[in-house]
Amino acid sequence: MKTDRDLNYRLYVQRSDGFTRNPFQRELSFYRMIQAGDTEGVKKRFEVVRKNFFEGKGTLSDDPVRNIIYHFVTAVAVVCRLCVEGGMSHDTAYTLSDIYIQRADKLKDVDKIIELFGEMQLDFAERMRTVKKENVISIHVRKCIDYIYEHLHEDLTLGVLAEYVGLNPSYLSKLFSKETGMSVKTFVTKAKISTAENLLKSSDFSCLDISLALGFSSQSAFISVFRKINGMTPKKYRELHYMDVIEGDKDNEV
């Protein structure tokens, strides 16, 4: 192969310099947050990443501005395709991608392009959240859905949501079911399990970590609900869907 010499040299230099690329699973888990419409998660993750933005990223150009623009184009391409997979209109996703790439192309300052990274990611995440609410009409149910996705780690009950939107619990229950086609409890459960599926497919978080992060009373409760919806345990689901099954998985499942 004509690239072997260059490849081997660069790999040698990277090892000598102690350079380690960001794990693919970590990057994918962040992109899955955008796909899921997890705007709060996207904001928090970006605030952490921007402090040392280039850590774990390869050098695509010796020119600093061109280098970060190449990284930007790569990120937009991945986000765009995952959002289409998640239900966003093909035309909307790709046109939005074009808009952001054109905006990045006009910038000549690295810090401003980094800021555009955050804006782009949040924009796609907010639009994905809207996709999940397309059939919802009332502002109260929309607010409920936003609250649910922002507080998946908490015990989300009808009473909590009714108090948040200022409605009678019985009325909110009927309104929510009418507009979403399912009860509040079912919606919350599906939102948590959907998030768990993404984490199992694209991260190395343990079953226990995921159950705690999503507010389940125990790991066994999480496994029971997951099995009921998917017909298999979280561990089995990961084995079938994870891009590279993690060796030594510590999930204590039967």
Side-chain angles (χ1 to χ4, degrees):
M1 303 288 282
K2 295 181 179 179
T3 55
D4 279 352
R5 183 176 180 180
D6 192 26
L7 173 62
N8 291 332
Y9 173 71
R10 294 197 181 197
L11 289 173
Y12 169 76
V13 171
Q14 289 174 9
R15 286 193 296 269
S16 299
D17 293 343
F19 173 74
T20 303
R21 292 185 185 276
N22 290 325
F24 175 65
Q25 297 95 321
R26 185 188 302 170
E27 289 192 0
L28 186 58
S29 67
F30 177 56
Y31 290 137
R32 291 293 185 188
M33 283 186 189
I34 299 173
Q35 184 190 51
D38 182 1
T39 55
E40 289 305 308
V42 170
K43 289 178 187 176
K44 292 176 182 177
R45 177 67 180 275
F46 183 72
E47 285 305 311
V48 173
V49 171
R50 74 181 302 170
K51 293 176 182 177
N52 198 354
F53 188 82
F54 291 100
E55 182 178 7
K57 291 182 173 65
T59 300
L60 307 181
S61 172
D62 292 332
D63 178 84
V65 173
R66 184 172 297 177
N67 178 56
I68 193 170
I69 285 180
Y70 287 160
H71 279 293
F72 185 88
V73 172
T74 301
V76 173
V78 175
V79 170
C80 171
R81 284 157 178 77
L82 283 175
C83 286
V84 170
E85 178 189 284
M88 182 181 288
S89 158
H90 179 276
D91 286 343
T92 296
Y94 280 85
T95 302
L96 194 60
S97 170
D98 293 346
I99 290 171
Y100 275 106
I101 291 174
Q102 289 169 10
R103 287 179 61 183
D105 188 52
K106 295 177 181 178
L107 297 176
K108 304 300 179 184
D109 183 86
V110 171
D111 289 334
K112 288 184 179 180
I113 299 173
I114 291 176
E115 290 179 7
L116 190 63
F117 259 95
E119 181 183 335
M120 176 273 292
Q121 292 164 354
L122 188 58
D123 191 356
F124 270 98
E126 289 174 341
R127 291 173 187 275
M128 285 306 298
R129 176 170 290 186
T130 299
V131 168
K132 298 177 185 298
K133 300 184 295 184
E134 285 181 344
N135 296 323
V136 175
I137 300 173
S138 71
I139 185 63
H140 297 97
V141 175
R142 286 179 179 269
K143 287 179 66 176
C144 278
I145 293 176
D146 282 339
Y147 188 89
I148 288 169
Y149 278 104
E150 290 169 8
H151 297 80
L152 286 177
H153 60 288
E154 299 177 6
D155 182 20
L156 295 166
T157 64
L158 176 62
V160 168
L161 293 172
E163 182 177 356
Y164 174 69
V165 298
L167 291 180
N168 175 278
S170 178
Y171 176 72
L172 175 60
S173 178
K174 294 177 181 177
L175 183 64
F176 195 95
S177 295
K178 179 181 179 182
E179 295 194 9
T180 66
M182 65 186 80
S183 67
V184 167
K185 183 178 180 180
T186 299
F187 188 95
V188 169
T189 299
K190 287 191 173 185
K192 290 189 175 188
I193 296 302
S194 176
T195 300
E197 290 169 359
N198 286 332
L199 290 172
L200 289 166
K201 288 189 290 186
S202 58
S203 80
D204 58 359
F205 292 123
S206 70
C207 185
L208 177 59
D209 289 338
I210 294 174
S211 65
L212 292 175
L214 294 177
F216 285 91
S217 59
S218 66
Q219 179 176 329
S220 59
F222 166 58
I223 294 172
S224 177
V225 173
F226 193 96
R227 183 191 283 120
K228 183 177 181 180
I229 291 178
N230 287 293
M232 66 184 76
T233 65
K235 182 177 182 180
K236 182 64 176 178
Y237 185 90
R238 170 170 275 164
E239 290 174 351
L240 291 174
H241 298 285
Y242 192 36
M243 72 292 292
D244 182 15
V245 179
I246 298 172
E247 295 295 328
D249 192 345
K250 298 182 179 180
D251 293 353
N252 296 317
E253 299 175 28
V254 178

